[in-house]
Amino acid sequence: MEQTIWTEKYRPKDFNEVLGQDGIVNRVEAFVKTGSMPHLLFTGPAGVGKTSLSLVVARQMFGNAWHSNFLELNASDERGIDIIRNKVKDFARTRAIGDVPFKIIYLDECDALTREAQQALRRTMENYTQTCRFILSANYSSKIIDPIQSRCAIFRFKPLPKEDILRLIQKICKNEGVQIDDNAMEALQIVSGGDCRRVENILQSAAAISDKIDEEVIYSLSSVARPKEVKEVLELALNNKFIDAREKLLDVMLNYGLSGLDIIKQIQREIYNVELDGRKKMRLVEKCGEAEFRMTEGSDEFVQLEAFLANVALIGTS
Ligand SMILES: Nc1ncnc2c1ncn2[C@@H]1O[C@H](COP(=O)(O)OP(=O)(O)OP(=O)(O)O)[C@@H](O)[C@H]1O
Ligand SMILES: [Mg+2]
């Protein structure tokens, strides 16, 4: 088995390899073609192409010399904004290699910066606008201060739609010579939540186990229970079979290695799939919220899960 990490092996090298994110890729490509680009702010969830698209920009703008003209920093790694400012200063001070209009600084996880640090970043961006463009990346744009947002063209990345995730799975499996059945593809698409990195990591682990991947393998590797089994737990409880529901729940958690928080989030999603009148569903959703909150606050997960199941049974029989 080969040792490269698939998330790197399958990182897009060109604009046309970036899946999904339609409007965004075209607009960013247009900046590169004209050789003029504002500062950019990429927002969105994990594993949807923010870092990848920035690297494509650098490759396309700078060709072989892209390494020398591209600086990647992580706002949450580096201790404090001062370190970032010094690194930016050092990088911006040296002239760009080759005939390029500016260098690019990619700053990941900007929403980890405090408001004060963001103010400092804003001044840094202004000071080096002559020589550098910033691409900022964050999960949520609402955590970025307005003065920075207004200096950037903002691009909101989305989880990848089903067709694109399936395309990615097919491409990798074909290339790696692994077989995957339709149910497993469907399962992988569901557990990925539109995150390509998650797809690639699960696929690589699955392929290491077997060259014929089925649904079972996908669920066992992904810390996600089969939706069917979670639904069963809910249905047992709703039918007042509390003890059976409790047993099934523990079983599912053990089998898939799930924490209380993992499972309560899955239960929450399954509520919408059970046969039940709307008001009762709303009460279940409310109870889920309570249990989830208490668990994140550190309350014992088994106590909370049992209390939740008791509530489900009470609601089911009310
Ligand atoms: N839109 C995409 N098209 C094709 N592959 C993708 C896409 N998005 C992500 N990938 C794959 O997932 C890996 C991780 O993606 P990337 O580093 O771009 O995520 P990100 O959006 O920056 O996430 P994070 O917020 O966690 O930093 C890439 O190396 C690539 O293999
Ligand atoms: Mg990234």
Side-chain angles (χ1 to χ4, degrees):
M1 179 113 231
E2 120 187 56
Q3 295 302 308
T4 38
I5 297 177
W6 288 4
T7 52
E8 286 311 320
K9 184 170 176 186
Y10 293 101
R11 203 189 264 290
K13 301 215 162 41
D14 200 345
F15 288 110
N16 60 24
E17 289 174 8
V18 180
L19 297 169
Q21 321 304 354
D22 356 80
I24 296 181
V25 177
N26 292 338
R27 278 153 65 207
V28 171
E29 189 172 8
F31 288 141
V32 173
K33 282 211 177 106
T34 58
S36 90
M37 185 177 94
H39 299 305
L40 310 180
L41 172 58
F42 288 174
T43 68
V48 296
K50 302 183 297 297
T51 302
S52 300
L53 185 58
S54 312
L55 289 168
V56 170
V57 168
R59 276 171 194 276
Q60 300 299 321
M61 277 207 112
F62 308 137
N64 286 337
W66 73 272
H67 263 298
S68 347
N69 294 318
F70 184 84
L71 174 70
E72 183 174 358
L73 295 172
N74 190 309
S76 69
D77 275 359
E78 314 283 339
R79 250 144 300 140
I81 188 70
D82 286 339
I83 296 186
I84 293 179
R85 282 159 80 177
N86 286 332
K87 289 201 171 176
V88 168
K89 202 155 90 188
D90 286 343
F91 177 72
R93 210 168 31 202
T94 57
R95 256 218 314 230
I97 313 258
D99 179 24
V100 302
F102 46 76
K103 298 174 162 190
I104 294 177
I105 297 168
Y106 182 73
L107 190 53
D108 214 348
E109 295 191 52
C110 286
D111 36 10
L113 293 170
T114 62
R115 296 185 71 81
E116 291 71 37
Q118 289 188 34
Q119 290 292 357
L121 172 63
R122 165 198 159 177
R123 283 190 294 278
T124 306
M125 288 169 74
E126 276 164 359
N127 289 341
Y128 297 105
T129 298
Q130 287 297 323
T131 47
C132 293
R133 290 295 175 279
F134 285 79
I135 303 179
L136 309 178
S137 156
N139 290 130
Y140 304 102
S141 64
S142 56
K143 291 194 182 158
I144 303 297
I145 59 172
D146 285 342
I148 290 186
Q149 290 200 36
S150 74
R151 280 171 176 75
C152 296
I154 304 179
F155 294 92
R156 296 178 204 283
F157 286 60
K158 305 240 160 50
L160 270 81
K162 184 171 176 177
E163 319 82 74
D164 287 317
I165 294 287
L166 293 179
R167 200 170 304 153
L168 180 68
I169 298 172
Q170 275 159 343
K171 171 181 155 182
I172 295 176
C173 287
K174 185 160 169 234
N175 198 43
E176 300 291 336
V178 294
Q179 277 184 38
I180 180 163
D181 65 41
D182 287 351
N183 288 339
M185 283 221 281
E186 187 78 17
L188 182 51
Q189 186 269 323
I190 291 170
V191 303
S192 76
D195 173 343
C196 299
R197 185 189 291 119
R198 205 164 149 73
V199 167
E200 291 166 350
N201 282 330
I202 295 174
L203 261 188
Q204 186 164 21
S205 314
I209 298 174
S210 154
D211 49 16
K212 285 201 176 77
I213 302 174
D214 59 18
E215 194 187 20
E216 202 64 47
V217 177
I218 299 293
Y219 281 117
S220 72
L221 287 170
S222 57
S223 293
V224 174
R226 284 180 184 219
K228 203 173 95 223
E229 292 186 69
V230 177
K231 194 170 165 211
E232 237 172 87
V233 172
L234 269 176
E235 285 168 348
L236 283 169
L238 283 169
N239 292 323
N240 208 19
K241 296 192 176 127
F242 177 78
I243 299 293
D244 295 341
R246 175 175 172 275
E247 222 163 81
K248 177 80 196 169
L249 180 70
L250 291 179
D251 210 43
V252 168
M253 287 176 71
L254 210 64
N255 264 340
Y256 296 101
L258 304 183
S259 72
L261 276 172
D262 293 333
I263 194 75
I264 201 77
K265 285 181 190 156
Q266 263 203 277
I267 290 175
Q268 207 257 9
R269 265 176 266 144
E270 279 315 303
I271 289 174
Y272 301 95
N273 299 328
V274 292
E275 294 272 336
L276 198 66
D277 83 57
R279 282 203 82 75
K280 287 186 177 176
K281 280 191 185 176
M282 291 198 303
R283 283 164 68 195
L284 291 184
V285 170
E286 186 192 6
K287 292 295 170 197
C288 259
E290 267 175 31
E292 193 268 352
F293 178 72
R294 290 182 177 151
M295 284 191 258
T296 44
E297 291 288 301
S299 171
D300 183 282
E301 55 183 38
F302 291 102
V303 172
Q304 288 306 320
L305 287 171
E306 288 193 22
F308 171 76
L309 284 185
N311 275 306
V312 178
L314 289 171
I315 292 168
T317 52
S318 65

